[in-house]
Amino acid sequence: FVHANAVSQMLGAAIDGRQLIQVLPEAIEKLWAVVWSLGGILLSRRVLQGSWTEKSFFYGQAAIGVGGLSIGAVFTSYGLFLLGWWVPVFPAILGLAISTSVCLLFHEQDLHRLAYIDELTQVANRRYFEQQLIKAVQQRGEVSLLLCDVDFFK
């Protein structure tokens, strides 16, 4: 099947004067994938800049955005194919999905850190203390606790 298509393309180029499929230089193909990866970063930033009601659905919004941009990459690649250019679409979609996922994971890590670490003192807060205390009681059964009070601390 592959050989038949190759022969058909060569015969069509020789007899009908059709153009052979052209490929982009490797550097441009890499740039193509990087541009789509940057699109994933911009998409995740756009999703995360929404209001708080929208942020509860930001994973769904990001998935819809990645799907839409992936369809855009496929149609762009297909349009270029119709013009006689071979542009790989898989690295672009992979870069798009990975960059969006990494940005969302970094954002989730930041939220987790903000939930458990005091911004001013950089010390774990009460929520983190309670979580660790519950975990210690469940794992070991017995826990010793020492509390200190600093008078006139401001």
Side-chain angles (χ1 to χ4, degrees), residues 98-117:
I98 289 174
S99 64
T100 303
S101 300
V102 167
C103 283
L104 292 177
L105 287 174
F106 277 134
H107 178 72
E108 189 173 321
Q109 265 186 335
D110 284 345
L111 289 178
H112 193 270
R113 184 184 54 79
L114 288 173
Y116 292 117
I117 304 294

Side-chain angles (χ1 to χ4, degrees), residues 2 21-22 35 85 149:
V2 172
I21 294 178
Q22 301 172 353
V35 165
W85 288 93
D149 183 24

Side-chain angles (χ1 to χ4, degrees), residues 9-152:
Q9 186 180 12
M10 286 187 268
L11 288 175
I15 296 171
D16 300 334
R18 285 188 306 192
Q19 259 189 343
L20 292 174
I21 294 178
Q22 301 172 353
V23 294
L24 296 172
E26 190 174 338
I28 304 238
E29 285 184 6
K30 288 179 183 177
L31 181 65
W32 163 262
V34 167
V35 165
W36 284 101
S37 298
L38 291 175
I41 293 170
L42 294 175
L43 168 73
S44 60
R45 298 286 298 178
R46 175 71 181 116
V47 167
L48 293 173
Q49 287 176 352
S51 68
W52 280 103
T53 56
E54 294 173 4
K55 281 192 180 178
S56 62
F57 303 106
F58 67 83
Y59 287 118
Q61 288 178 344
I64 290 169
V66 167
L69 285 176
S70 297
I71 290 170
V74 168
F75 280 130
T76 303
S77 180
Y78 182 68
L80 289 170
F81 179 75
L82 292 178
L83 295 173
W85 288 93
W86 175 260
V87 179
V89 73
F90 182 74
I93 293 174
L94 186 64
L96 171 68
I98 289 174
S99 64
T100 303
S101 300
V102 167
C103 283
L104 292 177
L105 287 174
F106 277 134
H107 178 72
E108 189 173 321
Q109 265 186 335
D110 284 345
L111 289 178
H112 193 270
R113 184 184 54 79
L114 288 173
Y116 292 117
I117 304 294
D118 181 56
E119 186 91 12
L120 181 63
T121 61
Q122 297 297 314
V123 176
N125 61 15
R126 179 177 164 220
R127 183 179 300 128
Y128 181 79
F129 170 73
E130 288 175 353
Q131 182 186 29
Q132 295 302 315
L133 183 63
I134 290 170
K135 191 185 298 183
V137 168
Q138 288 174 349
Q139 288 177 354
R140 294 183 210 60
E142 295 181 12
V143 174
S144 297
L145 185 63
L146 176 67
L147 295 175
C148 298
D149 183 24
V150 179
D151 290 332
F152 304 111

